[in-house]
Amino acid sequence: MDLFSNLALGFATAASPWNLLFCLIGVLLGTLIGVLPGIGATATIAMLLPITFQLEPVSSLIMLAGIYYGAQYGGSTTAILINMPGESSSAVTAIDGYQMARKGKAGAALAIAAIGSFFAGTVSTFLVAIFAPPLTSIALQFGAAEYFSLMVVGLVSSIALAHGSIIKALAMVVLGLLLGLVGTDIYSGTPRFTLGIREYADGLNFVAVAVGVFGVAEILRNLESEKTRTAVITKVSGLFPSREELRAIVAPVLRGTAIGSALGILPGGGAILASFASYTVEKRVSQRPEEFGHGAVAGVAGPESANNAGAQTSFIPMLTLGIPANPVMALMIGAMIIQGIVPGPNVATEQPALFWGIIASMWIGNLMLVILNLPLIGLWVKLLTVPYYVLFPIIMAFCSIGVYSVNGNPYDLYAVALFGLLGYGLVKLRCEPAPLLLGFVLGPLLEENLRRAMIISRGDPSVFVTRPISAILLLIAVAVLVVVFLPSVRRKREEVFVEED
């Protein structure tokens, strides 16, 4: 009965007129940025963080969550219509979705993507509701040593699931940890790495770093490819699959939902991994694998279900443990901290309306997306013709105003410019910035729990291996590192990275 009473509280919170409005704004914005290739949910949420500071915590988090899973829907639109995924997790959808569109089945492909996403979103939302409370109860038993080890596992997993060079991913995590050290030491009160600038005494502004590394860097990168963006499928008709197509998508949707729900919890990019895994599974179990790459409906239904399920279940470690599973969840944690909320298991007990309101809003948001997205296809197609050189200066102006409005600190604007150039340079060097942001968010928490554990144990470092849960977590981290350094795994990572490029 606790589950139903908690869900009732969540739906009562999420269904208030104010929260419904911000859920609608979030999913519409998410769909919009998913439709416009190259901007991405991470960059958009980073750029919109300043706006959310003026909102109630539950409203702001509902809106940010809506942007995230709305982008998963929107990303499939461009993948199907112009063979250019708006989101990384929609890259697989483009393989068969675009071929369906070329055969005059663009409407059916879009509908299949929407149906699969809604079903997966519904199932994974209830999985979040079912598994979040037990995990929260377990997490309440964690001490400083366990939290330190858990964060080590999260950082190591982000390295393991990043693409390309392991050394570069490790370097990004270390750089993020170092950036998190900027500011005043929490125990001694001594300034660290502030370069004598008083405005950095409280540390680097999370919003400035996120907007620079993801927002500005993505804009600079996409300006290079402006000439390659051309809409091919401009007319969409027949927005409902045939009876045969509906029967064909049942099994792929179920499999994709299961795969995405399981892999979404993994740190580093579960939704992306889930869509690729789903496509591979569907091709192997299909009785007609030769159809894949030429318009197979299972090649659309499976990956779209998987990436949306993965997007939903990635909220589980963020809500229960305060550990981000991907850069978007890191931004969500940053938003919670700025709102004065301490991420972790205490959120469920201290602020149940916020905790369950976010979970309930996921289902409401998915319902909104199904109802709104298909009728708005014509609008999304027209938006694909907006030139980047018109769109991006407007975005940059609003970003700068938003970042400055947070603290009224001009150094934050310098930080945006600096980290924008840094992020662009990292892309050129084929370094993923996602581990950097995870390191930056987890760095202060990692340091705090490390020092707290050492103080409690009176300087005895064996506390991390003598406490059973901490020791198990550290063994998992070591095992993951050993696996990713195996020659065969390293070669496979490099091959996947080259293929995606």
Side-chain angles (χ1 to χ4, degrees):
M1 290 301 293
D2 283 344
L3 175 62
F4 293 107
S5 60
N6 287 331
L7 283 175
L9 172 63
F11 277 104
T13 303
S16 70
W18 198 243
N19 289 334
L20 281 176
L21 172 63
F22 283 104
C23 184
L24 176 62
I25 292 172
V27 296
L28 283 177
L29 280 174
T31 306
L32 173 63
I33 59 97
V35 165
L36 294 172
I39 301 177
T42 307
T44 303
I45 291 175
M47 292 184 279
L48 288 177
L49 276 179
I51 298 174
T52 64
F53 301 156
Q54 309 303 321
L55 305 176
E56 290 293 320
V58 64
S59 299
S60 65
L61 291 171
I62 284 174
M63 186 178 79
L64 295 177
I67 291 171
Y68 179 42
Y69 51 79
Q72 308 302 315
Y73 274 76
S76 64
T77 301
T78 47
I80 291 168
L81 295 180
I82 64 173
N83 199 26
M84 186 179 291
E87 282 290 300
S88 301
S89 56
S90 299
V92 181
T93 307
I95 299 172
D96 286 285
Y98 181 63
Q99 294 303 319
M100 287 184 69
R102 292 187 65 183
K103 294 177 181 178
K105 295 184 177 181
L110 291 167
I112 288 170
I115 292 168
S117 295
F118 176 69
F119 177 82
T122 300
V123 172
S124 54
T125 296
F126 281 102
L127 289 177
V128 174
I130 291 168
F131 288 108
L135 283 174
T136 299
S137 301
I138 294 171
L140 287 172
Q141 309 303 316
F142 278 30
E146 287 80 7
Y147 264 112
F148 169 81
S149 300
L150 181 64
M151 290 175 194
V152 170
V153 172
L155 292 173
V156 169
S157 299
S158 72
I159 295 170
L161 293 175
H163 300 305
S165 168
I166 301 169
I167 301 301
K168 289 181 179 178
L170 178 61
M172 290 299 96
V173 168
V174 173
L175 179 58
L177 292 173
L178 291 174
L179 292 173
L181 293 176
V182 175
T184 304
D185 184 278
I186 56 175
Y187 288 100
S188 68
T190 305
R192 302 181 302 186
F193 310 112
T194 60
L195 304 177
I197 301 173
R198 290 180 301 171
E199 285 79 3
Y200 290 152
D202 291 330
L204 293 170
N205 187 331
F206 173 79
V207 179
V209 173
V211 170
V213 170
F214 286 99
V216 176
E218 280 295 300
I219 287 172
L220 293 174
R221 186 180 67 83
N222 281 287
L223 283 173
E224 294 180 345
S225 58
E226 166 66 11
K227 293 181 181 179
T228 65
R229 186 176 63 133
T230 54
V232 177
I233 309 300
T234 57
K235 186 177 180 180
V236 179
S237 58
L239 286 175
F240 200 78
S242 66
R243 188 173 298 179
E244 182 183 346
E245 287 169 336
L246 285 174
R247 282 197 298 267
I249 68 172
V250 172
V253 166
L254 292 173
R255 285 190 290 263
T257 300
I259 292 169
S261 298
L263 296 181
I265 303 172
L266 298 177
I272 301 172
L273 184 64
S275 61
F276 279 88
S278 174
Y279 190 84
T280 302
V281 168
E282 293 308 319
K283 192 171 182 179
R284 286 185 178 177
V285 302
S286 175
Q287 296 179 350
R288 291 177 289 183
E290 68 278 359
E291 290 185 358
F292 283 77
H294 302 283
V297 293
V300 176
E304 278 303 302
S305 302
N307 72 41
N308 205 64
Q312 307 283 79
T313 55
S314 65
F315 281 84
I316 291 178
M318 189 275 287
L319 289 172
T320 59
L321 303 172
I323 302 296
N326 54 50
V328 172
M329 293 302 107
L331 292 169
M332 295 281 286
I333 285 179
M336 292 174 73
I337 293 172
I338 294 168
Q339 291 274 10
I341 301 169
V342 179
N346 289 325
V347 174
T349 54
E350 294 176 0
Q351 301 199 44
L354 181 144
F355 182 88
W356 290 101
I358 293 173
I359 293 175
S361 74
M362 295 179 192
W363 187 84
I364 294 173
N366 276 279
L367 181 62
M368 287 180 177
L369 284 164
V370 170
I371 295 172
L372 292 173
N373 260 358
L374 294 179
L376 292 176
I377 290 296
L379 174 62
W380 304 139
V381 171
K382 289 181 180 178
L383 283 172
L384 290 172
T385 63
V386 177
Y388 281 156
Y389 65 81
V390 173
L391 185 67
F392 286 160
I394 298 172
I395 295 175
M396 286 290 296
F398 279 107
C399 283
S400 300
I401 294 170
V403 170
Y404 182 76
S405 67
V406 176
N407 295 319
N409 183 3
Y411 282 93
D412 289 343
L413 296 178
Y414 300 149
V416 169
L418 175 63
F419 284 104
L421 293 174
L422 174 64
Y424 180 69
L426 293 176
V427 170
K428 288 298 181 184
L429 292 171
R430 299 167 68 86
C431 296
E432 277 198 86
L436 183 151
L437 187 64
L438 292 174
F440 180 68
V441 171
L442 292 180
L445 298 173
L446 188 77
E447 180 196 9
E448 182 179 351
N449 283 288
L450 170 64
R451 296 175 69 174
R452 185 180 297 166
M454 294 296 288
I455 289 171
I456 293 172
S457 66
R458 299 187 179 183
D460 182 6
S462 66
V463 66
F464 298 106
V465 293
T466 54
R467 294 176 68 96
I469 296 177
S470 176
I472 291 171
L473 291 170
L474 288 177
L475 283 174
I476 292 172
V478 171
V480 171
L481 272 181
V482 170
V483 169
V484 297
F485 273 106
L486 291 175
S488 59
V489 176
R490 293 182 67 177
R491 282 196 300 271
K492 185 65 176 175
R493 286 165 59 101
E494 295 290 349
E495 288 171 7
V496 171
F497 192 51
V498 170
E499 287 173 8
E500 289 184 359
D501 282 357

